[in-house]
Amino acid sequence: MSNNPGFWGWLNERLPVSNFLKASVTEYYAPKNFNFWYFFGSLALLVLVLQIISGIFLLVHYYSDANQAFDSVQGIMFDVKWGWLVRYIHTTGASLFFVVIYLHISRGYLYGSYRKPRELLWIFGWIIYIILMAEAYFGYVLPFGNMSYWGGEVITAIIGAIPWVGDWLVSIVRGGPGLGGATLTRFMAWHVAFIPLLLIGVIVFHLVALHQVGSNNPDGIEISKNLDANGRPVDGIPFHPYYTVKDIFGVGVFLTLFAVIVLFAPTFWGLIMEYNNYLPANPLQTPADVTPAWYLSPYYAVLRAIPGKGFGIVMLGASIMLPFFLPWLDRCPAKSVRYRPVYFGMLILLAISVVVLGWIGLQPANPALLPPARIALGVYFGFFILLPVISRFEPIRPVPDRVRM
Ligand code: HEM
């Protein structure tokens, strides 16, 4: 019989709820010095939940038939009660997901969170990012507007450049020679079931790995494992209540911003929803400029900057995969940018190169933009090629007493 009466005691005898909460929040010790960059992991979880809930509501009224998909989405916008709100939450959520993820990744670069012992945590994160791009792409095609159609056409055609099996693969992905109902049904299956399941699975590994090694912090110096008289780590504070309160503040600010965009600027001047997608898919009319969503545009710029489709695809793959190897490319004894002035300069150049590529990727094809695109691409690759050498010899600022207590 239980010594611990009541529902809580009954439950805990059957399910380790208390132990789980202790291990993951009330007795999970985190460094004291988290700053605003540490909001974005929990915000990513929040957006994931919002996307799943709004997606399920959209699915109720969506038809994956080539002749009905576009009209069903218009029906959601104009006929279904609150349908416009659910759709705008989903489209805004998709873009803000990437804003949050790019900030979350930037924090990793800034504080060297990818370094030992967090290599696997980083790798799971990078796999999540790749899965997320696929998820966004398949979702983008579903409303079957003219941009969905041509975006779907251009990106699936890229697969055709793979030697020998390319054409066969394209027809597998499209479900036929061109984009149509068979494409929509398989894209829906991937967008709604396969990829979200995969995503959730890898996120679980991401979080388990995080709890195994503990969080890094803005100084990039591991917190002491020494315990105080009460058996608590001397440098750590329990995640709950200290960081749950902080995270709730972040959630409040984020949801306010989210609501402002959804209610006042849902298309965000064509960045969140493109004008051409308010027209139905038309295989006979290519939009004047087929450009991807902003969060994929740097990669599109890479593809256009390289002459030759095959080589372009190799460089595209390399630009996506290079950060995967960061834990082994960076060899500096210090992790955080706070103590690495040269690395700080390199990070700024890297950020500028990504923004320039992203902007160019959103412009109509224009030969005048080739030189800046190639320079930006050179800077991007230069970062990863030079890092192993520079990080060995770069100067390191002394750690202040504040940190070495
Ligand atoms: C749906 C996507 C993701 C979710 C839900 C997620 C969730 C989280 C959470 C809750 C944390 C702990 C809180 C925090 O440190 O902010 C975290 C930490 C971390 N994440 Fe993610 N993450 C995602 C994607 C990524 C990606 C794409 C990367 C990078 C490639 C990444 C790399 C990291 C790293 C390195 C840490 C530890 C940071 C540190 O301790 O300084 N995550 N993640």
Side-chain angles (χ1 to χ4, degrees), residues 40-64:
F40 302 108
S42 47
L43 288 182
L45 281 174
L46 172 73
V47 187
L48 178 72
V49 172
L50 284 177
Q51 289 305 88
I52 292 176
I53 296 175
S54 54
I56 290 173
F57 278 104
L58 289 177
L59 198 57
V60 173
H61 300 280
Y62 172 77
Y63 291 99
S64 59

Side-chain angles (χ1 to χ4, degrees), residues 34 37-42 44-45 48 97 101 104-105 107-108 111 113-114 118 121-122 125-126 128-129 132 199 203 206-207 210 214-217:
F34 281 175
W37 287 101
Y38 281 76
F39 281 135
F40 302 108
S42 47
L45 281 174
L48 178 72
F97 210 156
I101 285 299
H104 189 66
I105 296 176
R107 185 270 316 266
Y111 301 143
S113 304
Y114 47 81
R118 298 183 183 79
L121 174 64
W122 176 260
W126 208 254
I128 292 174
Y129 172 57
L132 212 55
L199 193 61
I203 290 174
H206 187 61
L207 296 180
L210 173 76
S215 287
N216 184 30
N217 64 76

Side-chain angles (χ1 to χ4, degrees), residues 161 302-303 306-317:
V302 172
L303 211 55
I306 305 286
K309 205 170 166 187
F311 188 42
I313 292 170
V314 171
M315 294 301 272
L316 171 73

